[in-house]
Amino acid sequence: MHRFVWFTLLLVSPVSFVMAADTGIPALQLVTNEDGSQSYSVTLQIMALMTALTFLPAMLMMMTSFTRIIIVFSILRQALGLQQTPSNQIILGLTLFLTIFIMSPVIEKVNQTAIQPYINEELKPLEAVEKASLPFREFMLGQTREDDIALFLRISGQTADSPENLSFWVLMPAFVTSELKTAFQIGFMLFLPFLVIDMVVASVLMAMGMMMLSPIIISLPFKIMFFVLIDGWALIMGTLAASFNV
């Protein structure tokens, strides 16, 4: 573990590291605690944290409700027949804030059990990370299908007697697979009513002999009107938020 941290620091800031070693700055050294154990200094912890933040986007997508929400919104846009409306920026922003709303109980648990004790120097860095992972593990286990967990356990050759003993590297791909399945199931249910409207409009145009007129041009206003009349955005957001049972 020590070698990994030193190697990471050399990659992140080799010049500053060499200068610190030459001048003998004690902030970049291991600190001996009162009980005789050793821990990393604050400077090392901050640099390791800044390096870990590069994985934050992947963690956001793979460990939260982000994946399911953005896939459902993308399928909805295609079902409506709108290629660029809402734009990608709006969909990403809406997905991000809805993810924060859904994950707020988990974030609150992490703040109470890990962040605040670490700020008050009641927990060591590794202990804080372990405490912070527990609410996320609980959330991911609640959304993961047993079949997906069994699949990745079989692929990895590992065994787990209980969910608490399940490896994190098995839980994460199983969680993502379950989220993809759920997102496509919701997307399929969203696609059906708009597909019916397209079929009805196409049949009417063929019956009237207007075969050169694209059915999409005629059905698009009806699909938008239908979506607005049923208050579609509120229904979809409420359904997505309720589907996580957080």
Side-chain angles (χ1 to χ4, degrees):
M1 183 66 183
H2 292 179
R3 294 181 180 178
F4 172 76
V5 173
W6 286 108
F7 180 71
T8 304
L9 295 176
L10 285 172
L11 291 177
V12 173
S13 182
V15 176
S16 59
F17 186 85
V18 172
M19 292 177 61
D22 292 339
T23 56
I25 299 177
L28 294 179
Q29 299 176 0
L30 291 174
V31 178
T32 302
N33 301 320
E34 296 180 356
D35 56 356
S37 61
Q38 287 186 331
S39 62
Y40 297 108
S41 64
V42 177
T43 305
L44 286 173
Q45 296 176 20
I46 293 175
M47 295 180 69
L49 178 62
M50 296 301 294
T51 304
L53 286 178
T54 58
F55 298 96
L56 186 60
M59 294 173 60
L60 173 65
M61 292 185 291
M62 298 295 104
M63 298 175 57
T64 64
S65 59
F66 187 91
T67 301
R68 183 188 305 185
I69 296 172
I70 197 168
I71 290 177
V72 170
F73 283 159
S74 300
I75 294 177
L76 173 64
R77 185 171 65 178
Q78 294 181 4
L80 284 170
L82 302 172
Q83 301 301 323
Q84 298 296 330
T85 304
S87 63
N88 293 332
Q89 292 83 353
I90 294 177
I91 289 182
L92 284 172
L94 186 60
T95 303
L96 178 61
F97 283 103
L98 189 57
T99 299
I100 295 174
F101 172 77
I102 294 174
M103 299 296 298
S104 57
V106 179
I107 297 174
E108 183 63 26
K109 289 182 182 178
V110 172
N111 182 56
Q112 293 177 357
T113 60
I115 297 178
Q116 292 302 324
Y118 176 70
I119 293 176
N120 297 329
E121 299 182 355
E122 298 175 1
L123 291 176
K124 296 180 181 178
L126 294 180
E127 294 176 348
V129 171
E130 184 178 357
K131 290 285 187 179
S133 66
L134 295 179
F136 281 98
R137 285 180 61 92
E138 182 181 355
F139 169 79
M140 295 166 68
L141 283 171
Q143 311 302 322
T144 306
R145 294 176 171 86
E146 294 182 0
D147 295 340
D148 296 325
I149 295 178
L151 169 65
F152 285 97
L153 281 175
R154 184 172 66 254
I155 294 175
S156 63
Q158 301 180 13
T159 57
D161 299 332
S162 63
E164 291 76 14
N165 298 329
L166 187 64
S167 172
F168 185 79
W169 307 113
V170 172
L171 176 60
M172 179 176 290
F175 169 74
V176 175
T177 305
S178 295
E179 287 294 285
L180 291 174
K181 291 181 181 178
T182 305
F184 276 93
Q185 289 174 354
I186 298 175
F188 172 76
M189 299 302 297
L190 286 175
F191 228 107
L192 285 180
F194 299 110
L195 181 61
V196 171
I197 294 176
D198 286 333
M199 294 176 62
V200 170
V201 171
S203 300
V204 171
L205 291 177
M206 290 183 65
M208 296 175 64
M210 300 181 180
M211 298 182 182
M212 300 300 294
L213 184 61
S214 176
I216 298 178
I217 299 177
I218 306 301
S219 63
L220 180 58
F222 289 99
K223 290 191 289 187
I224 295 177
M225 181 181 64
F226 170 75
F227 189 70
V228 172
L229 288 177
I230 64 173
D231 198 9
W233 287 112
L235 288 175
I236 290 175
M237 291 184 186
T239 301
L240 284 173
S243 66
F244 288 95
N245 297 321
V246 177

